[in-house]
Amino acid sequence: MIYDKFSEGTYVTNVIVPLLRATLEDLPNGCICLSTAERQSLASKARKNSRTNKERMGKKPDVMVFNQYAEKTFELVYVESSRIVSCATKKTNDNVKLWRETLDGASFVNIACRLTSNQFGIIGIQRVKALARLLITLRNVLIVNKSLLARALEQAVTNPPRNVHSSPIVSTPPYSLN
Protein backbone atom coordinates (compact mmCIF):
# COMPACT_ATOMS: atom_id res chain seq x y z
CA MET A 1 0.00 0.00 0.00
CA ILE A 2 1.37 3.45 -0.88
CA TYR A 3 0.20 5.01 2.41
CA ASP A 4 2.74 3.10 4.47
CA LYS A 5 5.51 4.97 2.60
CA PHE A 6 4.30 8.40 3.86
CA SER A 7 6.19 9.77 6.81
CA GLU A 8 4.41 11.53 9.65
CA GLY A 9 5.80 14.86 8.42
CA THR A 10 4.51 14.29 4.88
CA TYR A 11 1.05 13.44 6.21
CA VAL A 12 0.99 16.56 8.43
CA THR A 13 2.27 18.87 5.66
CA ASN A 14 0.18 17.53 2.77
CA VAL A 15 -3.08 16.57 4.50
CA ILE A 16 -3.55 17.97 8.00
CA VAL A 17 -2.16 21.51 7.57
CA PRO A 18 -4.10 22.38 4.36
CA LEU A 19 -7.32 21.11 5.97
CA LEU A 20 -6.67 23.17 9.11
CA ARG A 21 -5.85 26.28 7.07
CA ALA A 22 -9.07 25.96 5.08
CA THR A 23 -11.06 25.41 8.28
CA LEU A 24 -9.54 28.36 10.16
CA GLU A 25 -9.79 30.85 7.31
CA ASP A 26 -11.82 34.03 7.94
CA LEU A 27 -12.78 33.37 11.56
CA PRO A 28 -14.47 36.29 13.34
CA ASN A 29 -12.72 38.17 16.20
CA GLY A 30 -9.34 38.43 14.47
CA CYS A 31 -6.95 35.92 13.02
CA ILE A 32 -5.61 32.69 14.41
CA CYS A 33 -2.03 31.53 13.84
CA LEU A 34 -1.06 28.04 12.77
CA SER A 35 2.37 26.77 13.81
CA THR A 36 3.78 23.73 12.04
CA ALA A 37 7.34 24.04 13.34
CA GLU A 38 6.83 21.57 16.21
CA ARG A 39 7.59 24.45 18.56
CA GLN A 40 7.50 24.11 22.31
CA SER A 41 4.09 24.41 23.92
CA LEU A 42 4.01 27.43 26.25
CA ALA A 43 1.37 25.77 28.42
CA SER A 44 3.37 22.55 28.76
CA LYS A 45 6.54 24.49 29.57
CA ALA A 46 4.73 26.58 32.22
CA ARG A 47 3.37 23.46 33.92
CA LYS A 48 6.75 21.71 33.95
CA ASN A 49 8.58 24.79 35.24
CA SER A 50 6.03 25.42 38.00
CA ARG A 51 7.08 22.16 39.67
CA THR A 52 10.86 22.63 39.54
CA ASN A 53 13.38 25.40 39.96
CA LYS A 54 15.22 24.60 36.75
CA GLU A 55 14.11 25.47 33.22
CA ARG A 56 12.44 22.50 31.50
CA MET A 57 11.26 22.02 27.94
CA GLY A 58 7.58 21.70 27.15
CA LYS A 59 6.16 19.11 24.78
CA LYS A 60 6.26 19.82 21.06
CA PRO A 61 3.03 18.95 19.25
CA ASP A 62 3.10 18.45 15.47
CA VAL A 63 0.83 21.46 14.87
CA MET A 64 -0.49 24.15 17.21
CA VAL A 65 -3.20 26.72 16.62
CA PHE A 66 -2.84 29.79 18.77
CA ASN A 67 -4.34 33.21 19.27
CA GLN A 68 -2.80 36.38 20.64
CA TYR A 69 -5.01 38.58 22.76
CA ALA A 70 -4.08 41.36 25.18
CA GLU A 71 -0.37 40.67 24.54
CA LYS A 72 -0.75 37.05 25.66
CA THR A 73 -0.44 33.95 23.50
CA PHE A 74 -3.03 31.21 24.00
CA GLU A 75 -2.69 27.76 22.48
CA LEU A 76 -6.18 26.67 21.44
CA VAL A 77 -5.58 23.47 19.46
CA TYR A 78 -2.91 20.78 19.57
CA VAL A 79 -2.47 18.25 16.78
CA GLU A 80 -0.52 15.02 17.11
CA SER A 81 -0.31 12.84 14.05
CA SER A 82 0.96 9.33 13.65
CA ARG A 83 1.89 7.93 10.26
CA ILE A 84 -1.09 6.67 8.30
CA VAL A 85 0.16 3.15 8.95
CA SER A 86 1.76 2.98 12.39
CA CYS A 87 1.95 0.59 15.30
CA ALA A 88 -0.51 0.61 18.18
CA THR A 89 2.21 1.74 20.62
CA LYS A 90 2.91 4.90 18.60
CA LYS A 91 -0.80 5.74 18.48
CA THR A 92 -1.15 5.16 22.24
CA ASN A 93 1.92 7.27 23.03
CA ASP A 94 0.63 10.10 20.81
CA ASN A 95 -2.77 9.85 22.50
CA VAL A 96 -1.22 10.25 25.96
CA LYS A 97 0.99 13.14 24.79
CA LEU A 98 -2.04 14.87 23.25
CA TRP A 99 -4.10 14.35 26.43
CA ARG A 100 -1.37 15.96 28.55
CA GLU A 101 -0.90 18.89 26.15
CA THR A 102 -4.65 19.53 26.12
CA LEU A 103 -4.84 19.54 29.94
CA ASP A 104 -1.83 21.87 30.14
CA GLY A 105 -3.48 24.27 27.67
CA ALA A 106 -6.77 24.33 29.58
CA SER A 107 -4.95 24.91 32.87
CA PHE A 108 -2.89 27.74 31.31
CA VAL A 109 -6.05 29.53 30.09
CA ASN A 110 -7.78 29.06 33.47
CA ILE A 111 -4.84 30.64 35.31
CA ALA A 112 -4.55 33.57 32.89
CA CYS A 113 -8.27 34.36 32.74
CA ARG A 114 -9.48 33.25 36.19
CA LEU A 115 -12.47 31.49 34.68
CA THR A 116 -15.23 30.63 37.17
CA SER A 117 -16.44 27.50 35.39
CA ASN A 118 -15.48 25.07 32.64
CA GLN A 119 -16.79 27.33 29.89
CA PHE A 120 -13.68 27.15 27.73
CA GLY A 121 -12.14 24.20 25.97
CA ILE A 122 -8.79 23.32 24.45
CA ILE A 123 -8.97 20.88 21.57
CA GLY A 124 -6.66 17.99 20.90
CA ILE A 125 -6.78 16.28 17.50
CA GLN A 126 -5.32 12.95 16.57
CA ARG A 127 -6.01 11.34 13.22
CA VAL A 128 -9.71 10.43 13.08
CA LYS A 129 -12.05 8.85 10.54
CA ALA A 130 -14.58 11.69 10.33
CA LEU A 131 -12.02 14.47 9.76
CA ALA A 132 -14.34 16.76 7.79
CA ARG A 133 -16.99 16.74 10.53
CA LEU A 134 -14.27 17.32 13.12
CA LEU A 135 -12.93 20.34 11.25
CA ILE A 136 -16.38 21.92 11.00
CA THR A 137 -16.85 21.36 14.73
CA LEU A 138 -13.36 22.78 15.34
CA ARG A 139 -14.24 25.95 13.46
CA ASN A 140 -17.45 26.43 15.47
CA VAL A 141 -15.74 25.75 18.81
CA LEU A 142 -12.94 28.21 18.02
CA ILE A 143 -15.42 30.95 17.15
CA VAL A 144 -17.06 30.50 20.56
CA ASN A 145 -13.75 30.08 22.42
CA LYS A 146 -12.25 33.24 20.93
CA SER A 147 -15.17 35.36 22.10
CA LEU A 148 -15.18 33.68 25.54
CA LEU A 149 -11.43 34.22 25.84
CA ALA A 150 -11.73 37.94 25.01
CA ARG A 151 -14.59 38.38 27.48
CA ALA A 152 -12.81 36.42 30.24
CA LEU A 153 -9.59 38.41 29.83
CA GLU A 154 -11.50 41.69 29.99
CA GLN A 155 -13.25 40.53 33.18
CA ALA A 156 -9.97 39.28 34.67
CA VAL A 157 -8.45 42.72 34.22
CA THR A 158 -11.44 44.68 35.57
CA ASN A 159 -12.70 42.36 38.35
CA PRO A 160 -10.94 40.79 41.36
CA PRO A 161 -10.67 36.99 41.31
CA ARG A 162 -13.81 35.13 42.39
CA ASN A 163 -12.45 31.63 42.48
CA VAL A 164 -9.52 31.52 44.89
CA HIS A 165 -9.39 27.71 45.10
CA SER A 166 -7.28 25.73 42.68
CA SER A 167 -9.08 23.71 40.03
CA PRO A 168 -9.67 19.98 40.60
CA ILE A 169 -6.99 17.62 39.40
CA VAL A 170 -7.77 15.56 36.33
CA SER A 171 -5.98 12.27 35.95
CA THR A 172 -4.32 11.21 32.73
CA PRO A 173 -5.16 7.99 30.93
CA PRO A 174 -3.05 4.93 31.78
CA TYR A 175 0.33 4.86 30.09
CA SER A 176 2.57 1.89 29.57
CA LEU A 177 6.18 1.78 28.47
CA ASN A 178 5.67 -1.35 26.36
Side-chain angles (χ1 to χ4, degrees), residues 35 49 52 60 72 76 82 97 122 125 134 137 151 166:
S35 170
N49 291 332
T52 63
K60 296 180 179 181
K72 292 185 181 185
L76 302 175
S82 306
K97 180 181 176 183
I122 303 296
I125 301 172
L134 173 71
T137 303
R151 193 172 322 128
S166 60

Side-chain angles (χ1 to χ4, degrees), residues 95-128:
N95 241 352
V96 170
K97 180 181 176 183
L98 185 62
W99 174 257
R100 289 181 179 155
E101 289 166 347
T102 305
L103 288 179
D104 291 345
S107 175
F108 191 75
V109 168
N110 283 330
I111 290 169
C113 299
R114 300 190 309 251
L115 297 173
T116 57
S117 65
N118 294 330
Q119 61 187 9
F120 189 86
I122 303 296
I123 300 171
I125 301 172
Q126 186 156 359
R127 202 163 46 86
V128 295

Side-chain angles (χ1 to χ4, degrees), residues 1-6 82-87 91 127:
M1 185 181 249
I2 192 167
Y3 298 119
D4 59 357
K5 306 245 187 283
F6 286 168
S82 306
R83 291 176 55 169
I84 292 176
V85 177
S86 60
C87 66
K91 290 178 184 178
R127 202 163 46 86

Side-chain angles (χ1 to χ4, degrees), residues 30-104:
C31 68
I32 279 189
C33 301
L34 183 67
S35 170
T36 59
E38 286 199 51
R39 63 185 248 169
Q40 174 178 258
S41 165
L42 298 174
S44 176
K45 181 180 178 185
R47 180 189 53 84
K48 286 183 175 198
N49 291 332
S50 70
R51 291 192 268 152
T52 63
N53 291 335
K54 60 182 181 176
E55 185 83 8
R56 296 186 63 188
M57 289 286 279
K59 296 196 178 303
K60 296 180 179 181
D62 295 331
V63 180
M64 280 191 297
V65 177
F66 56 94
N67 186 35
Q68 286 193 301
Y69 189 83
E71 298 181 23
K72 292 185 181 185
T73 300
F74 294 96
E75 298 159 353
L76 302 175
V77 178
Y78 302 99
V79 178
E80 270 304 317
S81 178
S82 306
R83 291 176 55 169
I84 292 176
V85 177
S86 60
C87 66
T89 303
K90 169 73 171 144
K91 290 178 184 178
T92 302
N93 290 347
D94 282 351
N95 241 352
V96 170
K97 180 181 176 183
L98 185 62
W99 174 257
R100 289 181 179 155
E101 289 166 347
T102 305
L103 288 179
D104 291 345

